[in-house]
């Protein structure tokens, strides 16, 4: 595809996100939309009490504005696109926004009640499965089938089993990304490299709309990191982390290879699995802990790693996972 459109879309996502910080962060301060730090978290995180949250609005806006303007203009110039591909791009964006809306409700309730917990787990899961189901339905109505591609092995039709498995994977990934958002810059930096790898993968497959959406997402994460690197001036909140999870899932399903979420989401899966393992081990052993604290990034914090080091190492792991994913697309499809 034309590199000019790629640059315009990326600059749009980055610019809108970065510039919004000058307006949104002071507004969140005035509204007193500050983060409530959990009592069971690292003690030094208490210094972050009151830092504005819901900053995910910044990159949600950046991605939406850039994609909704640039992708249709690209299609108008390059030629008409199929309804299925339009659904993969805009239906995927809609799903991510839907997850972001759930996160917004969760953040808003937390702020109003001045506690770390907003929606109940059952409420969140019910809403998340509803959003995932709506996305899968939109794909089906647009002509999508129940087959999925596994690099080096070909396409496999899962039949009706595809839909529950897909919904579980989408919701699982979204919550895994949510667990990754625990220290300054971590979720944003990891997600930036995930989207970059997905953009390269979509480009290899000649899926221009998804390439542009990935570029906008990666660049918007970078724009957000200007404000979110340690010491963070704003947190993305569940508004942002659930959106990023939905977007990563949408892009992988859009290129018809959700299996790529395994190497791409190495950090995401490690984060959520560390919580599951910690809780299970705690219950089975009558109060013993396998990790010093979970999710896993807090374990490394307790081991003396700085937030910069954790972000750097976790991002490097994600780059490796992204390289594996790109090579799978390049040589396995």
């Amino acid at each position: 595809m034309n590199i000019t459109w790629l640059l315009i879309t990326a600059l749009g996502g980055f610019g809108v996100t970065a510039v919004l910080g000058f307006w949104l962060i002071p507004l969140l301060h005035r509204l007193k939309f500050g983060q409530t730090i959990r009592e069971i978290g690292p003690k030094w995180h208490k210094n972050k009490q009151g830092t504005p949250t819901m900053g995910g609005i910044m990159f949600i806006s950046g991605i939406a504005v850039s994609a909704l303007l640039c992708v249709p203009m690209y299609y108008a110039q390059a030629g008409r696109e199929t309804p299925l591909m339009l659904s993969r791009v805009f239906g995927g964006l809609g799903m991510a926004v839907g997850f972001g809306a759930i996160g917004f409700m969760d953040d808003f309730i937390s702020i109003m009640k001045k506690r770390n917990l907003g929606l109940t787990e059952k409420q969140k899961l019910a809403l998340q499965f509803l959003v995932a189901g709506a996305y899968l339905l939109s794909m089906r109505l647009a002509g999508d089938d129940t087959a999925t591609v596994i690099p080096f092995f070909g396409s496999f039709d899962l039949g009706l089993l595809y839909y529950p498995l897909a919904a579980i994977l989408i919701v699982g990934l979204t919550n895994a990304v949510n667990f990754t958002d625990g220290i300054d810059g971590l979720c944003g930096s990891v997600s930036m490299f995930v989207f970059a790898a997905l953009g390269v993968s979509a480009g290899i497959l000649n899926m221009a709309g998804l390439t542009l959406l990935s570029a906008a997402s990666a660049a918007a994460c970078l724009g957000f990191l200007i404000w979110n690197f340690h010491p963070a001036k704003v947190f993305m909140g569940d508004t942002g982390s659930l959106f990023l999870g939905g977007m990563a899932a949408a892009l992988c399903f859009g290129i018809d290879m959700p299996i790529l979420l395994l190497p791409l989401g190495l950090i995401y899966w490690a984060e959520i699995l560390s919580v599951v393992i910690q809780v299970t081990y705690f219950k089975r052993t009558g109060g013993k802990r396998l990790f010093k604290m979970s999710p896993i990034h807090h374990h490394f914090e307790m081991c003396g790693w700085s937030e910069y080091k954790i972000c750097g190492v976790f991002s490097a792991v994600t780059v490796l996972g992204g390289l594996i994913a790109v090579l799978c697309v390049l040589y396995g499809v």
Side-chain angles (χ1 to χ4, degrees), residues 64-120:
V65 169
S66 183
L68 291 175
L69 288 177
C70 295
V71 175
M73 287 193 293
Y74 172 80
Y75 283 152
Q77 183 185 76
R80 187 176 178 181
E81 192 51 89
T82 65
L84 178 56
M85 187 52 67
L86 291 172
S87 180
R88 288 179 174 181
V89 176
F90 298 111
L93 176 60
M95 178 174 71
V97 171
F99 279 118
I102 296 170
F104 181 89
M105 287 188 286
D106 192 40
D107 287 334
F108 189 78
I109 293 171
S110 297
I111 292 168
M112 292 298 100
K113 294 189 176 182
K114 299 187 184 303
R115 65 185 190 189
N116 188 257
L117 299 174
L119 295 170
T120 66

Side-chain angles (χ1 to χ4, degrees), residues 179 269-284 290-291 294-296:
F179 278 116
W269 301 124
E271 294 280 12
I272 195 169
L273 285 174
S274 69
V275 175
V276 174
I277 292 170
Q278 182 85 321
V279 172
T280 303
Y281 188 79
F282 185 87
K283 291 180 178 179
R284 293 284 180 87
L290 188 62
F291 304 110
S294 66
I296 194 68

Side-chain angles (χ1 to χ4, degrees), residues 4 13-14 26 32 41 128 147 160 167 174 190 207 286 297 327:
T4 302
F14 173 85
K32 297 183 179 180
Q128 287 169 355
L160 292 178
T174 302
V190 167
M207 295 181 173
H297 58 260
L327 289 175

Side-chain angles (χ1 to χ4, degrees), residues 289-308:
R289 289 177 170 82
L290 188 62
F291 304 110
K292 292 184 177 181
M293 188 175 290
S294 66
I296 194 68
H297 58 260
H298 286 322
H299 170 80
F300 289 109
E301 270 195 292
M302 301 294 283
C303 289
W305 286 27
S306 69
E307 296 190 37
Y308 291 116

Side-chain angles (χ1 to χ4, degrees), residues 53-57 59-60 96 99-100 102-104 106-107 124 128 170 173-182 187-188 191 195 224 235-248 268:
T53 188
M54 301 170 75
I57 294 171
F59 56 73
I60 293 174
F99 279 118
I102 296 170
F104 181 89
D106 192 40
D107 287 334
K124 280 194 283 189
Q128 287 169 355
I170 291 170
L173 176 78
T174 302
N175 285 289
V177 176
N178 184 232
F179 278 116
T180 307
D181 181 34
C187 191
S191 297
F195 293 137
F224 181 71
F235 298 140
M236 67 174 66
D238 285 4
T239 304
S241 60
L242 293 182
F243 173 89
L244 293 178
M247 181 59 74
Y268 299 148

Side-chain angles (χ1 to χ4, degrees), residues 129-320:
F129 274 108
L130 182 63
V131 170
Y135 166 72
L136 293 171
L137 177 60
S138 72
M139 294 281 281
R140 181 64 179 177
L141 293 176
D144 198 16
D145 55 27
T146 54
T148 184
V149 176
I150 299 180
F152 303 105
F153 292 96
S155 180
F156 295 85
D157 193 337
L158 300 177
L160 292 178
L161 188 60
Y162 174 85
Y163 295 107
L165 290 177
I168 291 171
L169 180 57
I170 291 170
V171 172
L173 176 78
T174 302
N175 285 289
V177 176
N178 184 232
F179 278 116
T180 307
D181 181 34
I183 61 174
D184 298 354
L186 179 59
C187 191
S189 56
V190 167
S191 297
M192 177 179 67
F193 291 114
V194 168
F195 293 137
L198 284 167
V200 174
S201 300
I204 293 171
L205 297 170
N206 294 316
M207 295 181 173
L210 292 173
T211 304
L212 294 177
L213 184 59
S214 300
S217 301
C221 284
L222 180 60
F224 181 71
L225 286 171
I226 293 175
W227 303 100
N228 185 240
F229 262 131
H230 184 70
K233 297 178 179 63
V234 67
F235 298 140
M236 67 174 66
D238 285 4
T239 304
S241 60
L242 293 182
F243 173 89
L244 293 178
M247 181 59 74
L251 290 169
C252 276
F253 275 87
I255 63 174
D256 210 19
M257 279 184 275
I259 191 70
L260 293 184
L261 288 172
L262 293 178
L264 282 170
L266 283 172
I267 293 301
Y268 299 148
W269 301 124
E271 294 280 12
I272 195 169
L273 285 174
S274 69
V275 175
V276 174
I277 292 170
Q278 182 85 321
V279 172
T280 303
Y281 188 79
F282 185 87
K283 291 180 178 179
R284 293 284 180 87
T285 60
K288 294 183 180 180
R289 289 177 170 82
L290 188 62
F291 304 110
K292 292 184 177 181
M293 188 175 290
S294 66
I296 194 68
H297 58 260
H298 286 322
H299 170 80
F300 289 109
E301 270 195 292
M302 301 294 283
C303 289
W305 286 27
S306 69
E307 296 190 37
Y308 291 116
K309 183 176 181 179
I310 295 171
C311 286
V313 172
F314 282 31
S315 293
V317 171
T318 303
V319 170
L320 177 61

